[in-house]
Amino acid sequence: MTGDGRLDAQLRALRPSDEEFVEQAFRLVLRRPPDEEARERALAKLAEGTLSRATLLHELVTADEFGRVRELDDAAAAGRAARRRGERSRRLQAPPGTDERVIEIPWVLSRLREGRVLEVGYAYAEPAYLAALVAELPGGLVGVDLAEAEAPGIETVRADVRDLPFADAAFDQVLLVSTIEHVGADNTVYGLAAEANTEGRLEALRELRRVLRPGGSLLVTVPLGEPGDHGWFRQDDVRGWTRLFARAGFFVEEQEAYELLDEGWRAAPTFRADGVRYGERGPGASAVLCSELSPRRLRRLASPDGWRRTARRRLAPTYRRVRPHRA
Ligand SMILES: C[S@@+](CC[C@H](N)C(=O)[O-])C[C@H]1O[C@@H](n2cnc3c(N)ncnc32)[C@H](O)[C@@H]1O
């Protein structure tokens, strides 16, 4: 019986040329064009009949590379869906063997604001994350980096985050995903200069405070664990990062620590940095701190409510523990 559309579907699968099929399959599954060697191999085998189109798709979907595509897709989809529901993702979980992006991406996407948003360090960001930002903020996204990269849908600016070519209060929100720890460090891995400027992170945060409007939000994620200089980035514990944010003139509005355990990524409200070292539990950080900061303003003190809010913050511990998320 062919009236149920199955023959039509089979014919459609055969319609594109082998060249078109291989190109589309790679772009759809691995989210990239095929490399030359893979393209030639697939075309030769398809021509001689030792590979079918279904088997090519099977090979792509079962490749290790697709595992990463899937993790990042899941992370971006979860963050975007939470934003649509008006939820700020908390107590996220992700499987073992993954890096910190699977936590950082949904955490940040769920807190994305409307308006003009600056993404700092976009040049080496995951395309799945950038695509989600472009989809959520059509026309409102500016990317800044010292390195250059093509990024359709994003207004890109090549600049040092410590000295930005933007007016004061130009942005409603700034996003800093695993980037601040690299400022002033040895950035040769990104094709940039090697520096050893221990004040680089502070200078960058002060500059970002300048370009953020009063009432704006800075979402920052950083590797967490035993404090130390790794040459290409600097890791800190919760106290170290929180002090840095305060020195740059920011309030911590919300903060959540996550740790990579045997069972995967889990929220760590009582996180202890002892023995938590970068790269020892998975492919990247062993723990990550996700924070939402707001520019500190003296003006707050002028209103009774501002005074109360400021007093409450001063009395609260610098690292606020996040209450278990109620379903
Ligand atoms: C680890 S990568 C960023 C990861 C990315 N944000 C993500 O979402 O996966 C660090 C980035 O910081 C950029 N960078 C380092 N120092 C910088 C500086 N002083 N000003 C601007 N960008 C800088 C590098 O070029 C690189 O793109």
Side-chain angles (χ1 to χ4, degrees):
M1 172 162 153
T2 58
D4 60 3
R6 286 182 298 158
L7 176 58
D8 182 55
Q10 286 284 357
L11 290 170
R12 279 171 190 275
L14 286 182
R15 206 167 289 154
S17 67
D18 283 351
E19 284 81 1
E20 285 166 346
F21 187 84
V22 170
E23 188 74 25
Q24 285 172 15
F26 270 77
R27 285 180 185 270
L28 181 70
V29 179
L30 298 185
R31 309 285 164 82
R32 64 169 176 83
D35 53 89
E36 210 39 57
E37 195 187 325
R39 180 189 284 113
E40 274 172 24
R41 175 193 163 272
L43 288 175
K45 292 185 135 226
L46 284 166
E48 71 195 14
T50 50
L51 178 76
S52 70
R53 294 186 176 194
T55 298
L56 174 61
L57 286 175
H58 183 258
E59 283 182 1
L60 296 179
V61 169
T62 51
D64 286 348
E65 186 180 345
F66 182 67
R68 175 86 177 134
V69 171
R70 187 178 168 195
E71 283 159 14
L72 293 171
D73 232 28
D74 289 351
R80 291 186 66 191
R83 180 177 191 252
R84 278 198 295 276
R85 292 191 299 268
E87 284 173 20
R88 302 163 72 84
S89 298
R90 296 193 181 101
R91 301 191 83 85
L92 289 159
Q93 298 192 354
T98 53
D99 71 38
E100 61 272 29
R101 295 294 182 274
V102 295
I103 295 296
E104 296 169 299
I105 289 174
W107 205 91
V108 166
L109 287 177
S110 72
R111 287 163 179 78
L112 207 57
R113 290 198 183 175
E114 294 294 330
R116 201 164 151 78
V117 175
L118 179 67
E119 215 298 319
V120 184
Y122 80 92
Y124 286 86
E126 293 293 346
Y129 164 64
L130 293 181
L133 289 180
V134 171
E136 292 294 315
L137 301 168
L141 188 62
V142 180
V144 73
D145 203 302
L146 256 181
E148 259 176 317
E150 262 186 49
I154 305 179
E155 180 188 332
T156 58
V157 176
R158 188 172 179 205
D160 193 315
V161 63
R162 293 164 289 186
D163 185 15
L164 293 170
F166 305 119
D168 293 2
F171 293 97
D172 298 289
Q173 193 170 45
V174 172
L175 315 176
L176 256 179
V177 173
S178 276
T179 293
I180 193 68
E181 67 272 22
H182 297 281
V183 178
D186 179 351
N187 276 294
T188 44
V189 65
Y190 304 114
L192 305 174
E195 287 183 66
N197 173 4
T198 52
E199 292 296 283
R201 299 177 307 165
L202 182 61
E203 291 165 13
L205 286 169
R206 286 191 171 143
E207 181 66 345
L208 291 172
R209 187 179 177 286
R210 181 187 69 76
V211 301
L212 200 52
R213 73 163 170 76
S217 135
L218 169 61
L219 300 178
V220 52
T221 65
V222 284
L224 190 62
E226 286 188 352
D229 192 338
H230 294 250
W232 61 296
F233 72 94
R234 205 195 142 76
Q235 178 167 282
D236 251 310
D237 56 14
V238 174
R239 181 181 292 212
W241 284 118
T242 310
R243 274 194 186 151
L244 183 74
F245 302 153
R247 281 178 72 204
F250 284 101
F251 269 125
V252 175
E253 296 285 352
E254 187 186 359
Q255 203 166 56
E256 226 188 351
Y258 286 88
E259 193 169 1
L260 182 53
L261 306 170
D262 289 344
E263 57 271 34
W265 285 97
R266 295 292 183 272
T270 55
F271 179 77
R272 292 181 59 85
D274 307 334
V276 180
R277 295 185 204 94
Y278 190 91
E280 288 194 355
R281 300 184 183 182
S286 296
V288 67
L289 185 66
C290 301
S291 310
E292 176 158 30
L293 312 180
S294 65
R296 200 164 45 202
R297 280 182 300 156
L298 280 175
R299 222 165 352 121
R300 273 210 171 113
L301 291 170
S303 72
D305 181 54
W307 185 87
R308 268 196 299 276
R309 284 176 65 193
T310 304
R312 262 205 311 273
R313 284 204 175 93
R314 290 260 160 83
L315 292 171
T318 18
Y319 171 46
R320 295 215 220 134
R321 288 184 183 159
V322 175
R323 272 176 248 115
H325 183 53
R326 280 186 221 113

